[in-house]
Amino acid sequence: MKTQVAIIGAGPAGLLLGQLLHHHGIDAVIIEQRSPDYVLSRIRAGVLEQGTVEILEGLGVADRLHAEGLVHDGVELSCEGERLRINFRELIGKTVTVYGQTEVTRDLMEARASKGLTTIYEAESVELHDVHGDSPFVRYTKNGQAHKVSCSIIAGCDGYHGVSRKSVLPSAITTYERVYDFGWLGVLADVPPCAEELIYANSERGFALCSMRSLTRSRYYVQVPVAERVEDWSDDRFWEELRRRVGEDVASRITTGPSLEKSVAPLRSFVAEPMRFGKLFLAGDAAHIVPPTGAKGLNLAVSDVYYLTQTLSEYFRSPSESVLDSYSVRALKRVWKAERFSWWMTSQLHHFPGSDAFSRRMQRSELEYLFRSENAQKVLAENYVGLPL
Ligand code: APR
Ligand code: PHB
């Protein structure tokens, strides 16, 4: 098989890249190791920046997003009973849309299939070859048959555990990482949300987040030690702990119910530099990870593939090395700003086991300043809704 771009991974980054490249008349094949159902079964975050919504609108894949997504003008912060609403629309003139990543992935899958574009699911033993040469190609097996995809460009959209970044010579890549010694225990339940907007709560007992997927389905998280076992958390224990962290008023409005999904996710900040290696380009979680506190993971994958599409569109019109180099420089500028914001939100809202008294006072001082300074609130709003592309 031959194509212009071989995309590894059919998560949000790979599927959106495929759609954007098609929109620019560039042929691409997606090679995914899992089945479509498995990809859709993964429960992920659900806050879309305005820029992400606009890119999906431009591709004509935002109909369901507009029909089912919830436009939010702000979020609420809660700290030991004190509450603050950050009004995005008033401070920045922008909004965010709550719409599950699973739904974005489903919409992109359906759009790709409707255009008859090629996606190879359940591909095994995916290998990248001749990445630094002029004829890169991808090998994979399926149903015991060996296959080869010849291409001009390989896009590594295969996530943090994918093969693409691991195909790069260690001497050619620099990584930056912060592993947090706590995780998020998340629960999905078919109960109405406790508030109209998201609530991020910092309490002595640890962080909690009240989110949602629709007006009838809620998503809640509590901070737990990183080694916490989900088996040790009954639904009742979760609801009780959540209520203890969000203050009496919010707690009184939480509707409990059986968990549809319950899992513990570790928190990590991670960046691999550069994001280009010969004809291999990394995008999304393959290149960077953010703690979910700033709701940046999906939106960063979107901005990566938006920039990569512009780079490849120019390259296929007029091939040049300098054009290819521009992607990594441009994408990393936005990646690092999102990493900073996600690290800052995580640092301000979580209880850090073993932190000294000075660090705890710095955290409290930062929150006290935020709660009383409209300028500080504007900075948070500008980053949360998404910096300009
Ligand atoms: N070969 C083919 N496909 C692979 C391989 C491989 N060796 N390894 C991983 N994949 C696939 C995974 O099965 C997954 O479907 O690549 C896809 C990567 O998707 P994501 O991990 O969702 O990463 P990305 O598309 O960059 O989206 C980032 O997803 O995980 C969330 O929080 C993250 O919101 C962020 C978003
Ligand atoms: C979610 O709804 O899953 C969610 C929302 C906001 C975040 C993280 C997760 O910052």
Side-chain angles (χ1 to χ4, degrees):
M1 187 189 304
K2 284 177 73 71
T3 186
Q4 288 177 281
V5 181
I7 300 172
I8 316 295
L15 286 167
L16 182 57
L17 178 60
Q19 218 58 25
L20 284 165
L21 291 174
H22 176 72
H23 192 70
H24 284 76
I26 298 171
D27 183 48
V29 168
I30 298 180
I31 301 157
E32 163 61 48
Q33 68 176 359
R34 300 287 188 175
S35 69
D37 288 347
Y38 184 96
V39 173
L40 289 172
S41 68
R42 293 189 295 239
I43 302 295
R44 292 285 194 275
V47 175
L48 306 186
E49 294 175 359
Q50 196 162 302
T52 294
V53 172
E54 288 164 2
I55 288 171
L56 294 170
E57 283 169 345
L59 289 171
V61 293
D63 292 349
R64 200 158 66 95
L65 162 57
H66 285 311
E68 300 174 15
L70 303 171
V71 177
H72 283 194
D73 288 357
V75 292
E76 184 170 300
L77 303 182
S78 160
C79 178
E80 294 307 326
E82 192 177 4
R83 294 162 65 184
L84 168 73
R85 181 168 184 262
I86 306 284
N87 188 328
F88 303 143
R89 191 184 289 275
E90 199 173 273
L91 290 166
I92 293 291
K94 288 186 177 181
T95 61
V96 294
T97 301
V98 172
Y99 186 67
Q101 175 174 311
T102 302
E103 305 320 314
V104 174
T105 305
R106 192 192 314 279
D107 293 341
L108 288 166
M109 274 182 180
E110 289 172 0
R112 185 167 182 81
S114 72
K115 294 188 185 293
L117 301 176
T118 304
T119 308
I120 314 290
Y121 284 100
E122 297 177 282
E124 298 169 0
S125 310
V126 176
E127 295 172 353
L128 283 58
H129 294 276
D130 202 21
V131 163
H132 290 281
D134 291 331
S135 310
F137 60 94
V138 176
R139 287 198 189 284
Y140 70 90
T141 59
K142 179 158 182 172
N143 302 327
Q145 292 292 314
H147 297 270
K148 175 181 177 181
V149 179
S150 300
C151 54
S152 303
I153 298 288
I154 300 176
C157 301
D158 46 350
Y160 181 72
H161 300 288
V163 65
S164 298
R165 192 180 70 253
K166 293 169 187 162
S167 301
V168 175
L169 281 176
S171 59
I173 196 167
T174 305
T175 59
Y176 304 83
E177 187 168 53
R178 165 69 52 87
V179 179
Y180 301 89
D181 50 5
F182 45 78
W184 281 14
L185 168 61
V187 158
L188 190 68
D190 274 340
V191 294
C194 65
E196 290 184 359
E197 296 175 336
L198 273 57
I199 300 174
Y200 290 79
N202 170 315
S203 84
E204 274 299 311
R205 298 179 64 86
F207 171 80
L209 171 59
C210 305
S211 184
M212 63 195 78
R213 288 292 174 273
S214 69
L215 297 180
T216 61
R217 177 166 286 191
S218 297
R219 179 71 165 159
Y220 289 106
Y221 299 93
V222 295
Q223 171 188 349
V224 292
V226 69
E228 197 78 344
R229 292 167 2 106
V230 66
E231 299 77 22
D232 294 340
W233 283 81
S234 68
D235 288 0
D236 288 347
R237 181 185 176 195
F238 177 85
W239 294 120
E240 183 189 344
E241 185 60 36
L242 174 70
R243 282 183 162 141
R244 296 174 74 170
R245 296 191 184 187
V246 295
E248 284 181 18
D249 177 41
V250 173
S252 67
R253 290 188 269 116
I254 291 177
T255 305
T256 66
S259 57
L260 301 171
E261 191 268 350
K262 184 163 42 182
S263 56
V264 177
L267 269 63
R268 172 196 317 270
S269 298
F270 172 84
V271 178
E273 286 191 359
M275 291 169 62
R276 177 213 171 185
F277 307 90
K279 295 295 188 334
L280 168 63
F281 294 79
L282 302 182
D285 275 17
H288 41 72
I289 295 288
V290 284
T293 328
K296 291 293 159 218
L298 172 58
N299 295 294
L300 262 187
V302 170
S303 50
D304 284 353
V305 297
Y306 172 82
Y307 295 144
L308 184 53
T309 300
Q310 291 191 333
T311 296
L312 296 182
S313 186
E314 191 176 340
Y315 174 73
F316 283 118
R317 277 199 307 274
S318 168
S320 89
E321 279 300 304
S322 61
V323 166
L324 292 181
D325 265 336
S326 66
Y327 164 69
S328 183
V329 172
R330 191 178 179 202
L332 282 168
K333 281 187 170 57
R334 184 181 173 88
V335 165
W336 278 111
K337 292 189 181 86
E339 288 282 349
R340 181 209 66 82
F341 175 66
S342 304
W343 161 82
W344 181 83
M345 284 283 278
T346 303
S347 303
Q348 302 318 316
L349 295 173
H350 287 76
H351 179 69
F352 283 72
S355 65
D356 61 18
F358 180 79
S359 301
R360 285 197 296 277
R361 289 310 298 261
M362 284 297 100
Q363 186 186 69
R364 188 188 301 178
S365 172
E366 185 91 32
L367 287 168
E368 281 170 4
Y369 171 65
L370 174 64
F371 272 57
R372 283 154 188 79
S373 162
E374 185 174 306
N375 291 334
Q377 292 158 28
K378 204 163 186 173
V379 168
L380 189 156
E382 181 185 35
N383 283 276
Y384 195 97
V385 301
L387 297 175
L389 277 171

